[in-house]
Amino acid sequence: MTLPTVAVGALGGTIAMTPAHPGEPVAPGLEAADLVRAVPGLRAVARVRAESLRNLPSAAIAAEDLLVALAWARAQVDARAAGVVLTHGTDTLEESAYLLDLLWDRPEPLVLTGAMRPPRTAGPDGPANVFAAVVVAAAPAARDLGVLAVLDDEAHLARWVTKARTTGVGAFASPGAAPVGRVVEGALVPTLVPAGPRLPALPAPAAPGPVRVALLECALGDDGALVDLVVEAGWAGLVLAGAGAGHVSPATAEAVSRAAARVPVVVASRTGSGPTATRTYGYPGSETDLLRRGALLAGSLAPRKARLLLWALLAGGAEPAAVRAEVARRGSAAS
Ligand code: ASP
């Protein structure tokens, strides 16, 4: 039987971090070939080709790096890989996964994985996560699901996945949804199907350029001054992580009116799960008030994912009507 080919591209993260001397803090060190070599049994499930693309901690990854990874992943499937795995730091894995998901225009699975424990510690999770990620990337059942995050033998859609804890394994979850599959005995077992069909990919921006989209979390007693500052400073768009089902203070609501007259303003929820409301509350700063002021609502898209959606739209040159339509349909719980 011919084994499927899976391409593994390494971007960095704890999975590749080692101490310079025993007992010291870890920093990026291992290459893609090292990560693959550390996985027992991998040769039984796929032919793996590995390449180091970057070796960065999560927080140092920028849109430019992800556009490079996207082009590399496309080239791998063009060269007949059944699927692609990217190893990545866990801190911002959900953001990279979602941005890539917006832009991934192939049926082949693109899988992100990482590790919570560094390689040279007791019970590192990196090898098990790479194994499961390769299994999912090679699985016909994972085709047409877009970008997946695979950790702890669970496969999550990029749309929903989040890092829900700072330390320890089992840190990834899909609040508001659930994993779509599990890796059991070296095979992907689908558990759920997405509520709606996969939406078409957005055009990949040629280069990130000068488009900046801000993300501000609303807090008790906000006076809205930061919203004004962001717009004055020339940011192209703004996402507000609002309270509850998408609510802000009365003063922030006034600032939203001023901002929305100039740039797209998307209001999401800071709660971590559940959609923004659309027609429940009617006070100043409520969702109906913000809609009247010209804001868009993020639906069930988490604030940091709404920011990436808005960025991808604006960096891709989308007109205001397209921005409005895409935020509405990609924020819907069925997307
Ligand atoms: N700080 C690390 C990073 O995200 C954490 C990890 O990879 O687990 O790069």
Side-chain angles (χ1 to χ4, degrees):
M1 192 187 80
T2 319
L3 287 176
T5 296
V6 172
V8 177
L11 291 168
T14 294
I15 194 168
M17 292 190 190
T18 51
H21 302 286
E24 287 185 359
V26 295
L30 302 184
E31 300 294 327
D34 302 319
L35 303 186
V36 165
R37 208 177 301 120
V39 184
L42 198 58
R43 284 187 183 176
V45 294
R47 289 193 306 174
V48 172
R49 38 177 200 247
E51 193 171 329
S52 297
L53 305 175
R54 297 283 187 272
N55 210 342
L56 297 169
S58 271
I61 295 273
E64 290 89 335
D65 303 308
L66 297 173
L67 294 178
V68 168
L70 177 72
W72 181 83
R74 283 177 174 159
Q76 299 307 311
V77 298
D78 289 347
R80 297 186 178 276
V84 178
V85 172
L86 294 172
T87 59
H88 192 291
T90 59
D91 290 353
T92 62
L93 188 149
E94 70 207 62
E95 290 175 81
S96 295
Y98 184 63
L99 182 57
L100 289 167
D101 188 52
L102 289 171
L103 307 177
W104 184 239
D105 52 1
R106 307 300 171 91
E108 288 83 1
L110 175 55
V111 178
L112 270 70
T113 193
M116 293 296 290
R117 295 180 183 148
R120 291 179 194 148
T121 50
D125 50 329
N129 285 342
V130 170
F131 180 85
V134 168
V135 166
V136 173
R143 287 174 70 89
D144 295 310
L145 292 177
V147 177
L148 296 145
V150 174
L151 299 108
D152 310 305
D153 290 336
E154 292 182 337
H156 299 263
L157 293 182
R159 162 75 170 79
W160 296 102
V161 72
T162 194
K163 185 176 187 180
R165 211 173 52 222
T166 56
T167 63
V169 296
F172 281 79
S174 289
V180 290
R182 289 179 199 282
V183 174
V184 181
E185 295 185 322
L188 173 64
V189 179
T191 49
L192 292 171
V193 289
R198 178 161 162 73
L199 296 173
L202 297 176
V211 172
R212 293 181 302 167
V213 175
L215 170 58
L216 298 177
E217 180 164 311
C218 299
L220 197 73
D222 267 346
D223 64 3
L226 283 174
V227 172
D228 288 327
L229 279 176
V230 160
V231 178
E232 294 304 324
W235 295 70
L238 169 64
V239 174
L240 291 174
H247 304 146
V248 307
S249 69
T252 301
E254 292 298 327
V256 166
S257 290
R258 294 189 287 277
R262 295 170 62 180
V263 298
V265 178
V266 178
V267 180
S269 171
R270 67 180 192 178
T271 60
S273 179
T276 46
T278 56
R279 54 190 170 83
T280 301
Y281 293 100
Y283 53 81
S286 68
E287 78 283 357
T288 60
D289 178 55
L290 294 172
L291 282 171
R292 261 195 312 273
R293 295 173 187 272
L296 311 176
L297 293 168
S300 57
L301 261 189
R304 59 188 79 119
K305 292 183 182 174
R307 172 181 168 271
L308 290 166
L309 172 58
L310 190 51
W311 178 81
L313 290 166
L314 295 175
E319 297 296 329
V323 169
R324 196 166 275 277
E326 290 294 336
V327 169
R329 75 171 178 159
R330 291 177 195 267
S332 128
S335 68

